[in-house]
Structure formats: C-alpha cells, structure tokens
Amino acid sequence: MAKGVFITGTDTGVGKTCFTLALMQTLKKQDRHIAGMKPVASGAKRINGLLMNEDARLIKEHCSHSVAYELINPVVYELPVAPVFAAGNDKETTDFDEVFASYNRLASEFDNIIVEGVGGWRAPLSDRLGTVDLVRELALPVILVVGLRLGCLNHALLTAEVIRADGVDLCGWVSNMPEKDYLFKDETIALLNDNLACPHVADLDYVDGIDRDKMAKKIDHSFIMGPVFR
C-alpha cells in the first residue's frame, strides 16, 4: 500500500499546489511512482465536457503515469468559493466515499500519494465535514505550507496548534514566498523553526509561474529519504 502525505496551508493562495508539484517531481527523481490528488476542489471550467480544476489538472499531468482525472479530483465544483458554499450552489453534497475509493485505487498503483487540501485547515468541505475528517480517515501525516506575508506568524502558529489538537501528525512545514517583497523572511523562518517543532521541509522562493524543477531543488532530501515516504 502506498504511503501518503497531506498538504495543507495557512490560507488559500499560499503555494500548496506549487509545493505539491515540486514534491512530486523530487520523489519521481528518486525513481518513485508518484500520484497526486486534489480530493475536493472549487473553481473549475468545462473542458471537453468535463468539469476540471486547474490545480487538479496540473497534479494529474505530474503523476508518474496517466490516470483518469476523476481519480485525481473526485469532487469538483464550478464556483470558485469555499466548497461548503459551492456544494450548496450546485445542490450537491460532498461524497467522501468517492474520495476514499479514488485514494485506495491510486494507492494500489503508486508508491506515494501526495494529497493537496483546499484552502486552510479549518475550511469546511460540507455542512458537516471538514478537512480533519478527511485526513483522519486517510490516516495521513500533514505538511503545512506557510505563505510568508503579513499575518503569517499568527496563521502558522495557530494552524499548527489546531492540527496537533486534532490528533494529527504535523510532520513538516514549508516556507513559500507568494509575494516577492516580504520583509524579514529570514527572521520569520527562524521564529517559526523555533516554534513549530517539526522539520522545515522546504524554502521556496518567489517565482512568476510554476517552475517545478527549480522548486524541487529547494526540498530537503533528508526528509524525502525519511520514514514519511519509505
């Protein structure tokens, strides 16, 4: 059975997809068969009759071999809002059974599964289920992506506290630069390293677009070779 990890963030737009693609690229260079998932996504367009989210489409393209889009992103909504609102707008409910079936299918075919969440840790997926319910069911450790911008210290420390309070393993964190002019980057990383009490997995620079090869070089390879993926 594949070993997986769940990627969450301090908020939306902090670089979860960038890190997910970089991590997939790094693991592929270690001759691992890798798949990614975006179990629940909102904000999608119809392409050849199929509703597709752009982040999920990129994740699909970076899997070690071709798989159906529906396995990568089993629950997708057209409206670019929180899933709990998008589901109500579409008069649908989030079907976690479909998510679990897709994950198990991928886990039978690949060595590792990188699962990217939607929004932040407390973003509700439906009127009764949240990210933590999904992560607990999949029994995955979590990597937290922190977007280095004003307010990130509070967001990062609170998110880490809640992840652990939920009984989930916070196995690492990532610093990412969604804004190129953020001040006190080094000081922020040092403070978070002192307080998050988990490995600093990667430090991603600001990039205009997604350069997975460049970002992959920023990932700590000792973490890649560690127990999370082996």
Side-chain angles (χ1 to χ4, degrees):
M1 195 71 167
K3 298 190 75 171
V5 68
F6 188 89
I7 312 301
T8 193
T10 47
D11 202 348
T12 191
V14 296
K16 294 190 301 294
T17 301
C18 289
F19 175 69
T20 295
L21 298 179
L23 183 57
M24 292 174 70
Q25 181 75 357
T26 301
L27 288 165
K28 284 194 289 185
K29 289 183 177 181
Q30 299 293 325
D31 295 324
R32 310 285 288 171
H33 295 288
I34 305 303
M37 272 191 87
K38 181 90 172 176
V40 180
S42 56
K45 295 180 180 179
R46 291 203 176 272
I47 301 174
N48 298 323
L50 182 65
L51 197 58
M52 300 181 72
N53 170 266
E54 179 62 14
D55 290 347
R57 186 190 67 79
L58 287 171
I59 290 171
K60 177 185 182 303
E61 286 185 357
H62 287 79
C63 294
S64 294
H65 64 255
S66 180
V67 295
Y69 176 86
E70 294 90 340
L71 289 178
I72 303 298
N73 180 208
V75 179
V76 58
Y77 302 111
E78 188 168 6
L79 202 62
V81 296
V84 64
F85 298 140
N89 184 76
D90 292 350
K91 296 180 173 59
E92 296 182 10
T93 58
T94 301
D95 185 356
F96 274 18
D97 288 341
E98 189 174 357
V99 169
F100 302 144
S102 296
Y103 180 87
N104 290 332
R105 171 77 178 276
L106 292 172
S108 70
E109 297 182 19
F110 293 88
D111 296 323
N112 299 119
I113 315 294
I114 313 303
V115 183
E116 181 188 334
V118 58
W121 183 253
R122 274 291 184 257
L125 303 180
S126 73
D127 58 358
R128 60 187 181 85
L129 297 171
T131 296
V132 64
D133 301 298
L134 177 62
V135 174
R136 283 173 176 160
E137 184 66 28
L138 296 176
L140 295 176
V142 169
I143 295 175
L144 173 63
V145 178
V146 179
L148 300 186
R149 57 194 186 194
L150 188 63
C152 68
L153 292 173
N154 179 61
H155 292 164
L157 295 172
L158 282 177
T159 302
E161 180 180 334
V162 172
I163 290 171
R164 291 187 168 114
D166 283 338
V168 176
D169 176 21
L170 180 60
C171 68
W173 78 281
V174 173
S175 52
N176 182 52
M177 289 282 288
E179 302 170 1
K180 62 182 177 181
D181 296 325
Y182 177 73
L183 300 176
F184 299 104
K185 174 186 175 181
D186 292 342
E187 292 86 347
T188 298
I189 291 174
L191 189 152
L192 290 177
N193 268 330
D194 286 343
N195 288 274
L196 291 180
C198 62
H200 187 197
V201 174
D203 177 27
L204 305 183
D205 296 324
Y206 175 85
V207 291
D208 186 10
I210 295 177
D211 187 337
R212 66 185 189 277
D213 289 314
K214 181 178 180 180
M215 291 185 294
K217 293 177 182 177
K218 294 286 196 172
I219 297 177
D220 183 354
H221 281 250
S222 65
F223 180 81
I224 296 298
M225 302 305 292
V228 171
F229 300 107
R230 295 290 177 178

